[in-house]
Amino acid sequence: MNLSNYQKAILQDKREQVLDETVKVWTITKTGTGNIYGQGKTETKASVTISAKVGWGSFIEKDERSGGFIEEGDCRILVSLSNKSAFEGENKYVEVDSVNLNIIQVKPVKDTAEAVILCRRR
């Protein structure tokens, strides 16, 4: 069932009140040539700061390979759908309150114009 425009407007208003934490999304770029140990390569980091809501605590996901449920990560981050692209791509990680997190999965929620980012401590 899709949400009406009225319901979407209410959720948008509440989200703007709730997204009160800032997270940094770091992108690591390596340039140059080097040996097999990475020597001689230049590493550059760039960050983007985004307003989000952060939820701490482990969560489980169903794993077909093991036939049950496994613990996947430590943190969920809720952002606006327009910020989803900042979390997608290679060589990215998130920093929340000086804690570095690897991005496991980015799940869009189109009805509410939000995205949920699942993370694990680095």
Side-chain angles (χ1 to χ4, degrees):
M1 180 167 114
N2 291 333
L3 298 175
S4 69
N5 288 336
Y6 175 71
Q7 291 169 322
K8 288 179 183 179
I10 290 173
L11 287 170
Q12 176 72 21
D13 182 54
K14 288 295 179 190
R15 180 173 16 98
E16 289 172 1
Q17 295 172 15
V18 169
L19 300 181
D20 57 353
E21 299 178 53
T22 56
V23 298
K24 280 187 180 180
V25 182
W26 289 93
T27 304
I28 302 170
T29 308
K30 293 182 180 181
T31 56
T33 59
N35 59 19
I36 61 172
Y37 303 107
Q39 295 171 329
K41 290 188 177 183
T42 304
E43 185 175 285
T44 308
K45 291 184 180 182
S47 69
V48 176
T49 303
I50 296 175
S51 293
K53 189 63 180 173
V54 179
W56 293 96
S58 61
F59 56 90
I60 58 173
E61 295 283 329
K62 187 169 184 164
D63 185 16
E64 298 296 331
R65 296 169 299 187
S66 65
F69 293 92
I70 59 169
E71 187 173 318
E72 276 289 322
D74 305 305
C75 179
R76 288 186 176 129
I77 300 172
L78 180 69
V79 297
S80 172
L81 192 58
S82 61
N83 292 325
K84 178 180 80 110
S85 61
F87 293 88
E88 296 175 322
E90 295 291 321
N91 300 325
K92 294 193 177 200
Y93 70 93
V94 180
E95 181 182 343
V96 179
D97 295 330
S98 300
V99 177
N100 294 331
L101 304 164
N102 285 330
I103 299 169
I104 298 171
Q105 190 175 17
V106 178
K107 294 183 177 182
V109 184
K110 295 191 182 196
D111 279 343
T112 59
E114 296 171 325
V116 177
I117 293 55
L118 305 176
C119 301
R120 177 183 305 123
R121 290 180 193 263
R122 284 183 87 164

